[in-house]
Amino acid sequence: MTSTETAGQPGNSSDSPFTEAAHDRDAAPQFVLPLVARIEKDAPPARTDALETAARAVLVLLSDERSTGDGEWAAAVRDWQDARIRKVVRRARGAEWRRAAALPGITVTGARAEVRVFPPVPLDGWPKDLSRLQVSGTELDDPEPPGPPAPGRPVLWLNPGLEMTAGKEMAQAGHAAQLAWWELSTEERAAWRAAGFPLSVRPAPPAEWDALTRSGRPVVHDAGFTEIAPGPTLVAEWRPPTDHG
């Protein structure tokens, strides 16, 4: 489930990968951020739980000490961000999940969802235990409609006019979380991380979607390679995490 996004608004941080760069990002070697969702047949997570967990997994990877400075994943993260920002969500269960969990990465949990994020890999250089996992089969539902976003949390607003598979939406939510991250100051990032990256993913009210895309907030624009036509998919609305519900 590959999605490539560009930022609707440039990041405030000088090291944002979404600002205009001097080099051509399409000409750079291409990398992808792998995410694997645990989806057991008898106990799949709720859809919104999976979306929010995938978004937090991207943030956990970006903020991990191994991804910054001279960390062991830092070069891969830089190479990934110098090219097109790609994320792919695959599913695993049983022995597949155990094999994936044995590879270097970070498992992030939600209410019931589990998502493991791995350092970026070359587009055609996936580890065998990840490349064999299926992209399809990530269909998930919410047993009940999610309630309103918790006060004080950043909200990733989904385009209400689109229909996407859960895997596609998980990748898109990860994009939106990354856009929000790059908008923040060092102090805001530290506070969000210390709070455990609370956030909500919700469909935008249809009557408010157009205004959200013009609000100056970060907008995810899908390249249109899979499932949907090119266009905006999510808007990231930052709210200081003062109340974590």
Side-chain angles (χ1 to χ4, degrees), residues 43-133:
R47 188 183 186 99
T48 297
D49 184 21
L51 299 182
E52 293 174 349
T53 303
R56 289 194 299 110
V58 172
L59 295 166
V60 169
L61 186 284
L62 288 172
S63 63
D64 191 276
E65 287 78 4
R66 289 168 288 185
S67 299
T68 61
D70 296 324
E72 61 184 289
W73 298 343
V77 171
R78 285 193 296 269
D79 288 343
W80 169 58
Q81 292 181 147
D82 283 345
R84 286 290 171 183
I85 309 296
R86 288 179 165 90
K87 301 176 182 70
V88 172
V89 176
R90 296 177 184 262
R91 65 163 173 84
R93 60 173 61 103
E96 295 174 332
W97 174 257
R98 291 190 291 274
R99 286 192 293 267
L103 298 175
I106 307 169
T107 297
V108 177
T109 60
R112 291 183 62 179
E114 293 181 70
V115 175
R116 189 164 179 84
V117 60
F118 302 86
V121 298
L123 201 57
D124 57 356
W126 282 67
K128 185 192 308 183
D129 284 334
L130 298 184
S131 65
R132 65 180 59 172
L133 298 176

Side-chain angles (χ1 to χ4, degrees), residues 135-181:
V135 174
S136 61
T138 57
E139 277 312 300
L140 300 170
D141 296 307
D142 282 313
E144 299 179 0
R153 294 188 180 190
V155 183
L156 311 180
W157 294 109
L158 288 159
N159 184 336
L162 295 178
E163 291 187 8
M164 295 180 276
T165 63
K168 177 80 171 181
E169 283 191 348
M170 290 169 72
Q172 297 290 302
H175 295 339
Q178 189 169 5
L179 288 174
W181 174 254

